[in-house]
Every structure is written in structure tokens, then in C-alpha cells.
Amino acid sequence: MNNPEDTSPPGERDWSVVVEDGIAKSNEPVSSAVADPAATMRRHEPHEPAREHLPERLYEPRKAVHNKRIDGPFRRFKWLVMLVTLGIYYATPWIRWDRGPYAPDQAVLVDLANRRFYMFSIEIWPHEFYFVAGLLIMAGIGLFLVTSAVGRAWCGYACPQTVWTDLFQHVDRFVDGDRNARIRLDAAPWTWSKVVRRAFKWSIYLFIGFWTGGAWIMYFADAPTLVQDFWRGEAAPVAYITVAVLTLTTVTLGGFMREQVCIYMCPWPRIQTAMMDEKSLLVTYKDWRGEPRGSVKKAAKNPDRFGDCIDCTQCVQVCPTGIDIREGPQIGCITCGLCIDACDRVMNDIGRPRGLIDYATLEDCEREAAGGAVKSPWRTLLRPRTIAYSMIWAGIGGALVFALGTRSHTELTVAPDRNPPFMLMSDGSVRNSYTLKIRNMESRPREMEIAVEGLPGAVMWTDTINRGEAAATQRVTVPADLVRQVRAYLVVPAGTAPQQFEFRVTSLDKQRETDVVETRFDAPEDE
Amino acid sequence: MANKRIDQPTGTPTVGHEWDGIEELDTPLPRWWLWTFYLTIAFAVGYVIAYPAWPMIDRATEGVLGWSSRGELAKEMSAADQARTTVSEQLARIPVERLPDDSALMQQAIAGGAAAFRVNCVQCHGSGAAGSQELGYPNLNDDDWLWGGDLKAIEYTLAHGIRQDGDDETRRSVMPPFAGAFDTDQLDALTDHVLAFSGKAASNPVGAQLYADNCAACHGIRGEGDRAQGAPTLNDAIWLRGSSREAIKRQILNPRMGMMPKWEGRLDPVTLKMLAAYVHSLGGGEDFVEVAEDPEVAVDEQP
């Protein structure tokens, strides 16, 4: 990426020695394409001595990455992940889920106005945000797990920045052709045909960005209604603003900045170094096998002088972040494995063993370099560290599921009035008042019974009835999915001492859910 | 700079500083980063022109948009007023005794009344509306009312106050001072009789006779009081000015009588209704019963 030696503009690079597609058919050897090593671009010279003069540069212009099309197991896996993730992203809001007449029927909905989060059969209230926190912790631990096991697999396959960048790169390819054509077009002067092409391409960018933002807002309102409102111009301003902002960011980050986000903006590459160890699988160029590099021709002349790498730079050309993996692990590498696909193909074609670039651990590399045998990757994946992460991850997940399954949908909170703490009535009896909040987390109205326990002779009335109807228990109806606040007045006969007692609320339905809160009854102390 | 050099492994120049052998690479910024930085500068310039920014001697520069946080507040306040007007209009139309029929409006009224109470009433009645026996401010939470505890009676008391000169409608009750009328024994006997109503002492014929002659006309023969003239009940557990013998004797000899400002004219009718609703909601509120009252106790129903 930031190779100070390479100051030639992209158009002047001599890529012409490489065949247009880079992928020869199996019956014609690639070696013809890399016939003359002298003409081959040497972008990277890690062993070159430092130059004497100091360049005074204020900034580093971005070098466009034109990655070449490649096919192989990792590319196919990337396609699969892209299909699944984008599919989930666009389709989820349209899944319906019947919750009865009092709740929305969208399977996944973040209802900000009513402060509810619906996810299939799960409904989360704001006070239960710890479920979301738990999910975030799981996501964090999951990233630790994945990183310690297979390096930056998240970055390589599942990260939205990667997925959308990939999408935009396919758009580039679709409109402008593959790598060489795109490089030529970049360098070409602005003719009308180039303007039209660019306009066409950027309008596709905009279209993708718009659909990305558009899908995002569907998670926050009833999707079919929102779509209609949106096109009628009746949706909330925040919807249009969100779509506009996300369209802009999608086009900017996915269409134009791409690998710059990973290299300069994202904290994840910085954190990951702390999570990997010598047992993590990383995309690795096995330099002990590859170096020194030499073309097929040269190697044929001097079989013992050169390594397996023929310096065809296919691994560089297919890289979505435009780095050279042969320089070793680096921040720009998102471990997507496309260079492995490319290198394996070349090795196949020239009849050398595959795996010159491969997922490997540092330990494996050292052992292999010393002539040892390769371990199975499973040995790497199942080691104390990953098992510990998995256990923690599964433990948190289990706890969340358990908490979700056993939580009560009825809850009571009691706030006794403390000003004044008690009230002497004219007949000598003592009154206390309480604010009860009864929570009904079912999507239907429920009748609840409030009872007083452990306070002899107490009768209760509420703000909606009269003292004449005071009784030991009262019934209230709590609307669906709501908290109902009830003022309760409690009267005990004269002479009752201050004491603790309990309010009990019981749902009068099949569930008979109940919640008990202990609170205090205040009364004048005996003189 | 001291010793700039090219760092061998990266090929990047150093900035030339060195701390304990640690050097810093002078990696050039990405171009977009620099542009973003310039954009922030441009934004800052624009912001300073558009919004209040530079502190001057007595105020900040105004900004061409004329935005200010005070203006923002004023806008939000007027929006809140707008939102409240519908409730106010409804409250203005509805007679106070009809409020309980509209529970949503009643809730609004109670909430508004709570706010108004904290501004205008807590000085005497206390923040919990529990009043003060010490000073003779009535407790508004209990079920003992001098002048009546239904919404209409409360609103009337609020509107016209108690013992307010210059208002013919005001609530006015007078207890004559009996200093010099009784000797010590008589006073003790009378006090015993008053306490006997609530079972705190034994009654006696002397006290009973004195009571019947001097007190029963207002306080009732069994000490049940009379709301029509604001005479307190003497036979319940609640004492406006204390239940000790001393307090009772003091009140017989030199009665202290409280007063309450009239709020009509000081607060608008809607606020009065809201206050009535709030006081009524404190737990001692009574139902309004339609009775043919004395014509002079008719409440002005003009909002």
C-alpha cells in the first residue's frame, strides 16, 4: 500500500506482461505469460537499502486498488457469506410474525417511539437492556474466539465494510471490465465515453447506497407501511435524513474509500494483534519455500537456486486491499484468502505443490521451515485458548437464553409516599399512600389483582375508586405491553404499629404470574 | 530537527525526535485525511460566522443566523404552551364537579395542580400538603374538612380564601375568645368534656353544661362540628391546633384563627380547577353531592 518506492502513477505500471485475465486455461501454461522476469514489475523490494534523500511529502494519495477476478474455494466462500449477510440484511424486516392485535407483526423491529425491541418471539423492554448488553458481550467474545482461531476472518468475510467493498468491486468489474481494463480506463483522459461510463457506474453506486440506507430504516418501523409512506413523501423526516446519510456513507466508504477504512479508520486491526498468538491461523506466505523468487525459465536453468515463487504477482493483483502478502503479516491484510486461491491456481498450472500462500500458524511455519510435518488445522483450532473463549461465549449465551426463558412478564414496583409518611384519619385509623407500577409485558391487556399481605386489618383503595369500595384486594386492568401506575391508599385500624408488609400482584389468567414487593407501613409511634 | 533518517524496515522517514531510544515514524497522512482536516477548518470558519462564537466584553458575537439558546428555549416554551392550550380549553369548559367523569382530563388536572401547588401553596401547607399543627395550617391529605372536601367546595375555598377582608364571598368563621369567662376549674372541666368526645378523658356534668351553653351552637352537641359555618369537629382524631390539654385551653381562651389568601384574580380559573383536583386527589377528597345549597354559596361558573 504505502510503498514509498513506487511513485509511478498507476497507469504507468508495466502490468502488460501479465495476461489479461491472469487465469490461463489448464491446457496452456501460465509460464508463457510471465516469460520475461526483467519486464516484470518489482513493486516490493523488502531488502532494498534505504534511500539517502528524505522525501518531503505532506500526504499520501490513495492508490486505487483494482483487484482481479479470481475463483477458488475462498472466493466461493466469500460469495456465500456475502449472499447470506446481504440476504439477511435486506430480507429480515419483511419477515412477519403474528403477535396478536396489540403488538406489531414485524419479526424484527426496533420500536423507538414505544421503546420496545421485538425479535421473533422475544420482546425486550428498555429496562432489560442487559440482554442487548449480553449480546454485545457475546459479539465481543465471539470476535476474540474467531480472531484467536482463524485470525481476521471477520474482516475477511463478514465485516459490512468488506462485504460492501466487495459488492462495489464487482460493480466496477461489471461496468469497466477486469483489472487491466480498469487500470487503463483510470489512466485514460476524460473522453465522453469515460464520462458516460463513470456516470453509469456512480449511479449504480448511488443505487446500492440508497438501497442500503433504505433497508436500514425498515428495522425501525413497519416495513410495508414505511415503504408506502416513504414514496408518498409522508414518512418522518428522520427516515429521509437517515436514508440520505447512509446512502452517502455507503457510497463514500464502500465505493471510494474501501481499504482506507480498514487501514486508517477501523480500530479492529489494531486490537487484533493483541488477540492473535503463534497458534492463530493467518494467511501466510511461506517465504522459506518461495524465496528467492525466480521465473519458471530461470528456475528451469538453475533448479536449486530459486524458490517456488515465480513472482507473477497474482497474489497482489487479486488482493482487495492491494497489499503484497509476501511482505509478511500486515495491517492491510484482512485474511480473505483470495491470494491463496490465486497462488494455488498458479502452482497447479506450473506443477508445483499448492500452499505456497496458505492459512498457517506461526508455529507451523517455524516447524515447516525446519523441515517438520504440517499439523492438522483442527489441532490449532481446538486449544485451551479457543476452548476457553468458546466456553465463556456459550456460557453467556446460555445465561441469556435462561434469563429470557424464565423472566416474568409481570412486575411490580412500589414507591411509598414519604411526605408525609403517614396520615391520621378522623376516625383514628392511619393511612399510607403508595405509588404502584404494574408492568404487563404480554401483548394483551391483563387483569391483575393487587393484594396486601402481612398487614392485619388493612384495606386498600386506589385513585380510580372511592374509599367506600376499599377492600383487602383490588383488581386493575393493565393495558397490553404497558406499565400502569396506580395510587394505592392503605388504611389500618387505630393502634397499628409501624411495620414491614408486602404487596403482591397476581395476573388473573392462566399464567398466574405473580410478583411480591416488601415495603413499609408507617404509623405514629405509641405514646 | 535533530536527526531525521530513513527507518530501515519500513522505508519511512522519522520525525527526528528520540525519547529513550524510541523514535517516531513520519508516515505521510492519507490525502483524504488531510482534506477532511481542511474541511473541519472550513466548517469552523462557517460556524463562527453563522452562530454565536466569540466572547466579547458583554456578550458573544451574534452569528448571522441569529440563533441563540435562549431563543431556542423560548421556541420550545411556546410550543409547550401550544400543547397545553387544548387541555386548558377543556378544563375551562368543564365544571369542576364534572371532572371525575373524564379521567384523562382529571389526571392532567391533577398533574397541573401538583405543579401549581408547589409554587403557591407549599409555603403554608407544606410540600406534602400535611400542614402544620404548630401553626394551624390544615392538613389537606386527611378526610377532615372544615368547609367541605368535594371538588366544588375546595374550589370555592381556593377562590375566595378564608377570612379575606374585601371579599363578601370569603369563608369566614369566628370563635369568640372566652378569656375571663371561666375560672380554672371550669376550664379544666370543659377541656375534659371536649377530650371525652374522642375518648381521651372522662366527661363530667360541669363541663357538659358549659359546653352546651357556650359551644354546642357551633360545634354541635356531640362535637361533630358544622361545615356550613366552618366549625371544626371536636370528636375525631384530628386536631387543627393540637390535642394536648394546654392547646385546647389556649384555643378556648384566646382562639387563633387562620386565614388563607383568596386566589381568584391571582390565579386563572383553570389553575384553580387544577389545584382543586390536586387537593381532592390527595386521598381525602369527597364526592360531590348535588344539594340545594344556600344561594350565596353558589360558585361563579364563568371560566
Side-chain angles (χ1 to χ4, degrees):
Chain A
M1 268 315 303
N2 299 315
N3 184 11
E5 278 82 8
D6 185 9
T7 48
S8 57
E12 288 176 24
R13 289 189 201 138
D14 183 7
W15 294 111
S16 53
V17 291
V18 181
V19 282
E20 163 74 40
D21 213 336
I23 297 162
K25 305 197 172 36
S26 50
N27 56 4
E28 66 172 87
V30 167
S31 50
S32 62
V34 285
D36 186 7
T40 307
M41 243 316 279
R42 279 295 184 92
R43 290 187 67 209
H44 301 281
E45 287 285 4
H47 311 299
E48 193 192 357
R51 288 163 306 156
E52 294 309 306
H53 66 281
L54 294 171
E56 287 294 331
R57 286 173 310 164
L58 195 54
Y59 62 80
E60 174 99 36
R62 171 178 183 252
K63 293 191 188 67
V65 176
H66 296 290
N67 62 328
K68 196 177 195 154
R69 198 167 64 85
I70 181 72
D71 188 31
F74 290 105
R75 177 65 257 183
R76 284 196 287 272
F77 183 58
K78 248 175 109 73
W79 278 120
L80 177 71
V81 174
M82 184 174 174
L83 202 73
V84 169
T85 49
L86 287 181
I88 289 174
Y89 177 67
Y90 288 114
T92 302
W94 299 93
I95 304 169
R96 301 287 103 186
W97 190 267
D98 186 20
R99 294 191 185 87
Y102 299 101
D105 62 350
Q106 185 160 317
V108 176
L109 178 68
V110 181
D111 189 349
L112 291 175
N114 300 312
R115 289 179 298 187
R116 301 278 180 273
F117 172 53
Y118 299 95
M119 190 168 171
F120 297 95
S121 61
I122 300 168
E123 178 185 330
I124 288 180
W125 287 41
H127 70 282
E128 293 171 312
F129 198 77
Y130 47 81
F131 284 119
V132 180
L135 277 178
L136 290 173
I137 293 170
M138 277 179 80
I141 305 265
L143 278 170
F144 296 178
L145 171 63
V146 169
T147 306
S148 62
V150 288
R152 288 171 67 185
W154 164 263
C155 301
Y157 303 102
C159 172
Q161 175 66 27
T162 296
V163 170
W164 261 272
T165 296
D166 205 20
L167 187 65
F168 280 111
Q169 283 171 338
H170 292 307
V171 171
D172 287 357
R173 193 167 293 128
F174 168 73
V175 176
D176 295 340
D178 206 7
R179 177 181 165 82
N180 295 350
R182 296 212 300 276
I183 291 170
R184 277 199 298 273
L185 187 67
D186 256 12
W190 282 91
T191 57
W192 271 114
S193 78
K194 180 169 172 176
V195 170
V196 169
R197 246 169 198 243
R198 281 284 185 263
F200 176 53
K201 190 173 82 170
W202 290 341
S203 62
I204 296 180
Y205 280 11
L206 262 178
F207 183 76
I208 292 173
F210 173 73
W211 277 96
T212 306
W216 178 260
I217 60 171
M218 297 301 153
Y219 285 84
F220 296 88
D222 185 56
T225 324
L226 182 58
V227 166
Q228 290 181 12
D229 288 351
F230 188 89
W231 290 113
R232 285 205 205 102
E234 290 166 4
V238 69
Y240 296 105
I241 294 167
T242 307
V243 171
V245 168
L246 287 179
T247 303
L248 195 73
T249 51
T250 307
V251 170
T252 310
L253 298 179
F256 295 102
M257 294 195 67
R258 298 185 181 176
E259 80 290 338
Q260 301 278 307
V261 175
C262 311
I263 291 169
Y264 292 109
M265 293 181 171
C266 179
W268 188 236
R270 281 92 194 144
I271 303 169
Q272 53 143 0
T273 45
M275 295 178 189
M276 295 189 291
D277 58 10
E278 60 282 1
K279 291 192 175 71
S280 305
L281 280 171
L282 299 180
V283 173
T284 309
Y285 165 69
K286 299 178 176 171
D287 53 355
W288 70 91
R289 225 189 91 184
E291 301 293 325
R293 304 166 196 175
S295 69
V296 179
K297 262 188 188 168
K298 274 187 181 170
K301 283 180 194 155
N302 281 316
D304 302 333
R305 238 194 74 191
F306 294 104
D308 280 348
C309 177
I310 57 167
D311 213 3
C312 66
T313 67
Q314 291 294 304
C315 55
V316 180
Q317 295 181 40
V318 299
C319 179
T321 60
I323 58 152
D324 188 344
I325 188 62
R326 295 171 302 173
E327 291 174 356
Q330 54 201 283
I331 208 161
C333 174
I334 56 170
T335 68
C336 62
L338 295 188
C339 51
I340 304 179
D341 286 343
C343 192
D344 280 353
R345 184 168 285 254
V346 171
M347 290 294 128
N348 263 356
D349 288 345
I350 62 175
R352 291 179 187 174
R354 297 160 62 106
L356 174 60
I357 304 176
D358 201 355
Y359 268 105
T361 69
L362 192 61
E363 274 189 355
D364 281 349
C365 291
E366 284 166 0
R367 199 177 320 103
E368 259 188 84
V374 189
K375 268 203 219 164
S376 127
W378 295 108
R379 297 278 306 274
T380 319
L381 294 179
L382 294 172
R383 62 183 199 273
R385 183 166 168 160
T386 55
I387 291 169
Y389 278 143
S390 313
M391 302 282 281
I392 297 170
W393 187 83
I396 296 171
L400 286 182
V401 170
F402 178 78
L404 265 177
T406 56
R407 67 181 179 163
S408 171
H409 287 196
T410 304
E411 209 167 329
L412 173 70
T413 54
V414 178
D417 273 17
R418 283 286 163 256
N419 181 17
F422 61 84
M423 190 51 51
L424 194 64
M425 305 307 277
S426 51
D427 57 0
S429 59
V430 180
R431 193 188 85 206
N432 277 207
S433 25
Y434 301 86
T435 304
L436 310 182
K437 286 188 175 169
I438 307 169
R439 180 178 288 138
N440 170 23
M441 292 177 60
E442 293 280 335
S443 297
R444 55 192 162 80
R446 297 157 96 201
E447 203 179 14
M448 306 267 189
E449 186 177 71
I450 313 168
V452 177
E453 294 180 352
L455 193 62
V459 292
M460 166 177 31
W461 75 100
T462 64
D463 49 345
T464 49
I465 59 170
N466 286 322
R467 191 183 170 178
E469 298 165 59
T473 63
Q474 294 291 352
R475 291 186 173 191
V476 293
T477 303
V478 187
D481 267 333
L482 276 177
V483 178
R484 173 152 175 201
Q485 183 170 312
V486 176
R487 288 274 296 162
Y489 303 107
L490 224 56
V491 164
V492 300
T496 306
Q499 56 188 285
Q500 299 289 108
F501 74 102
E502 283 168 351
F503 274 109
R504 175 186 293 275
V505 68
T506 312
S507 67
L508 300 172
D509 52 12
K510 283 203 293 277
Q511 287 142 294
R512 302 292 296 181
E513 286 183 330
T514 175
D515 194 19
V516 180
V517 173
E518 190 187 40
T519 183
R520 183 178 163 75
F521 191 92
D522 252 314
E525 302 284 346
D526 288 337
E527 293 123 29
Chain B
M1 279 307 187
N3 42 0
K4 283 194 182 185
R5 58 181 191 81
I6 298 263
D7 174 58
Q8 192 73 14
T10 56
T12 312
T14 63
V15 293
H17 304 292
E18 179 263 315
W19 300 267
D20 295 344
I22 299 169
E23 289 178 285
E24 193 182 4
L25 293 179
D26 191 7
T27 311
L29 285 169
R31 183 164 50 183
W32 58 263
W33 190 295
L34 209 67
W35 287 351
T36 311
F37 178 57
Y38 293 152
L39 271 177
T40 59
I41 294 173
F43 175 86
V45 171
Y47 185 94
V48 165
I49 292 167
Y51 286 99
W54 292 107
M56 293 302 179
I57 289 165
D58 59 341
R59 66 187 58 200
T61 51
E62 300 234 328
V64 295
L65 291 187
W67 182 95
S68 73
S69 49
R70 278 173 188 278
E72 195 80 352
L73 176 69
K75 238 194 307 199
E76 284 179 20
M77 294 282 276
S78 68
D81 282 343
Q82 286 283 319
R84 271 202 299 266
T85 47
T86 46
V87 175
S88 301
E89 281 165 11
Q90 284 175 306
L91 280 169
R93 275 198 303 272
I94 195 168
V96 73
E97 65 271 19
R98 296 268 72 88
L99 257 179
D101 304 346
D102 184 345
S103 65
L105 194 58
M106 181 78 173
Q107 291 304 322
Q108 295 269 22
I110 289 172
F117 189 89
R118 279 191 274 278
V119 176
N120 301 294
C121 317
V122 294
Q123 295 82 342
C124 298
H125 290 284
S127 58
S132 159
Q133 248 185 10
E134 204 95 329
L135 303 168
Y137 298 125
N139 184 337
L140 304 177
N141 295 284
D142 58 30
D143 57 349
D144 189 23
W145 299 91
L146 290 168
W147 295 96
D150 62 69
L151 280 163
K152 210 160 175 167
I154 296 171
E155 188 192 42
Y156 185 93
T157 308
L158 278 162
H160 300 292
I162 292 170
R163 301 188 184 92
Q164 288 298 297
D165 294 335
D167 183 355
D168 302 339
E169 310 267 299
T170 191
R171 308 269 201 199
R172 196 182 289 279
S173 64
V174 179
M175 171 149 170
F178 288 92
F182 310 128
D183 60 28
T184 323
D185 292 343
Q186 285 177 316
L187 190 58
D188 272 329
L190 180 56
T191 308
D192 277 341
H193 183 73
V194 169
L195 280 167
F197 288 139
S198 46
K200 289 186 173 171
S203 180
N204 58 82
V206 177
Q209 191 56 48
L210 283 170
Y211 181 85
D213 294 346
N214 298 295
C215 319
C218 298
H219 289 286
I221 197 72
R222 288 180 310 283
E224 66 270 26
D226 180 7
R227 284 187 185 177
Q229 46 180 323
T233 49
L234 303 178
N235 61 2
D236 63 7
I238 293 168
W239 297 83
L240 182 57
R241 297 184 181 274
S243 58
S244 67
R245 299 183 70 91
E246 286 316 305
I248 292 169
K249 284 179 190 172
R250 202 172 43 232
Q251 194 60 13
I252 293 171
L253 298 177
N254 290 305
R256 290 182 298 160
M257 286 170 285
M259 56 199 307
M260 169 165 145
K262 55 173 296 204
W263 294 98
E264 201 175 45
R266 300 171 69 172
L267 296 175
D268 59 277
V270 168
T271 308
L272 287 181
K273 273 180 195 169
M274 294 199 291
L275 277 169
Y278 174 70
V279 172
H280 187 267
S281 77
L282 289 171
E286 295 168 356
D287 287 348
F288 177 75
V289 187
E290 204 72 56
V291 286
E293 297 211 22
D294 301 344
E296 66 262 22
V297 194
V299 179
D300 179 19
E301 290 196 11
Q302 289 305 310

